[in-house]
Amino acid sequence: MKDLAKYRGIIPAFYACYDEQGNVSPERVRALTQYFIDKGVKGVYVNGSSGECIYHSVAERKLVLENVMAEAKGKVVIIAHVACNN
């Protein structure tokens, strides 16, 4: 990594957002992403060890990450955590 400065600042863990049926909600993921951008964070840490994310399926993780990236549009640093629960 050449430019570590982009990783300085507030980079919160991104929690999954669910609808009333308990499914990951793309709309709520986008809304939370925009909320963080509006608050001035430097980036977000997506699908990490914040709790529920490690138990998501690959499809759910992909859905969260795709919607964070689509909403962020390069405005903040995205750190995508990859792991498994075993």
Side-chain angles (χ1 to χ4, degrees):
M1 285 189 220
K2 294 180 182 178
D3 182 19
L4 294 177
K6 68 181 182 179
Y7 298 106
R8 292 192 180 112
I10 298 172
I11 302 177
F14 193 92
Y15 289 89
C17 303
Y18 301 99
D19 62 19
E20 288 76 11
Q21 290 75 40
N23 300 310
V24 172
S25 168
E27 296 81 13
R28 291 177 182 180
V29 167
R30 288 173 180 253
L32 182 57
T33 302
Q34 189 59 52
Y35 173 83
F36 282 138
I37 292 168
D38 292 345
K39 291 298 179 182
V41 302
K42 184 74 172 184
V44 289
Y45 176 58
V46 181
N47 292 332
S49 56
S50 60
E52 77 282 359
C53 294
I54 197 154
Y55 299 107
H56 283 167
S57 67
V58 172
E60 289 170 320
R61 289 181 190 199
K62 185 176 177 184
L63 183 62
V64 171
L65 183 58
E66 286 176 342
N67 281 278
V68 168
M69 293 180 72
E71 187 68 28
K73 298 176 187 154
K75 297 175 193 165
V76 294
V77 173
I78 308 293
I79 301 171
H81 180 91
V82 292
C84 65
N85 61 357
N86 61 7

